[in-house]
Amino acid sequence: MTSALISGDRIFLRGLAAECIIGFIEWERRVKQTVVLDLELPVDCRRAAATDDVADTVDYKRVAKRVLTYIEASEFKLVETLAHRLALLLLEEFGVEWVRVSLNKPGAIRNSRDVGVVIERSRADLTAAAAARL
């Protein structure tokens, strides 16, 4: 078990907004819409606290930039697909043990502030996705 899992330490990003093609209705395939994202990733903050060096933690600025680049280039029909693929990307590129992604589309449903999904993925999901591609 990694020290981040034992410690319970986490980094989070909340309210990260990006524009992308998302939706299955015809007009949604032509117009970029805003999605808002919250992320949570495990990290053992003890070493970074001792060294005061960003190299000893998960750099949330790098995470945010990568997430924005990925989302803005994406064109999915379902928020479920976007959230899942994004979670796998974070697991692979940042080497964390798990990730929690909350993704919503503000104003997607009349009389509702937003709708979306909350998912959690782990390294086991990354392994399963890799095996499915073979």
Side-chain angles (χ1 to χ4, degrees), residues 11 13 78 89 104:
I11 65 163
L13 286 87
L78 302 176
L89 175 97
N104 66 70

Side-chain angles (χ1 to χ4, degrees), residues 2 6 10 16 30 54 67 78 92 102 112-113 116 133:
T2 68
I6 295 167
R10 298 161 187 188
L16 192 62
R30 296 189 308 264
V54 72
V67 165
L78 302 176
E92 184 171 2
S102 173
S112 173
R113 184 182 69 219
R133 287 191 294 260

Side-chain angles (χ1 to χ4, degrees), residues 63-129:
V63 171
K65 288 175 79 171
R66 182 64 178 109
V67 165
L68 290 172
T69 298
Y70 181 80
I71 291 175
E72 290 172 353
S74 72
E75 292 190 20
F76 296 109
K77 293 179 181 175
L78 302 176
V79 293
E80 292 88 342
T81 307
L82 176 54
H84 176 76
R85 300 272 179 88
L86 181 61
L88 295 179
L89 175 97
L90 292 169
L91 289 164
E92 184 171 2
E93 292 189 11
F94 291 92
V96 293
E97 292 299 315
W98 58 266
V99 62
R100 180 176 298 127
V101 176
S102 173
L103 184 93
N104 66 70
K105 279 175 59 173
I109 300 292
R110 190 181 334 215
N111 300 322
S112 173
R113 184 182 69 219
D114 57 13
V115 297
V117 297
V118 177
I119 67 166
E120 293 182 27
R121 297 294 182 266
S122 69
R123 304 228 36 98
D125 295 301
L126 185 60
T127 302

Side-chain angles (χ1 to χ4, degrees), residues 40-71:
E40 194 171 314
L41 302 98
V43 61
D44 186 347
C45 294
R46 289 177 286 218
R47 182 174 172 138
T51 64
D52 201 28
D53 188 340
V54 72
D56 291 323
T57 189
V58 176
D59 183 345
Y60 48 79
K61 184 176 182 178
R62 279 187 52 233
V63 171
K65 288 175 79 171
R66 182 64 178 109
V67 165
L68 290 172
T69 298
Y70 181 80
I71 291 175

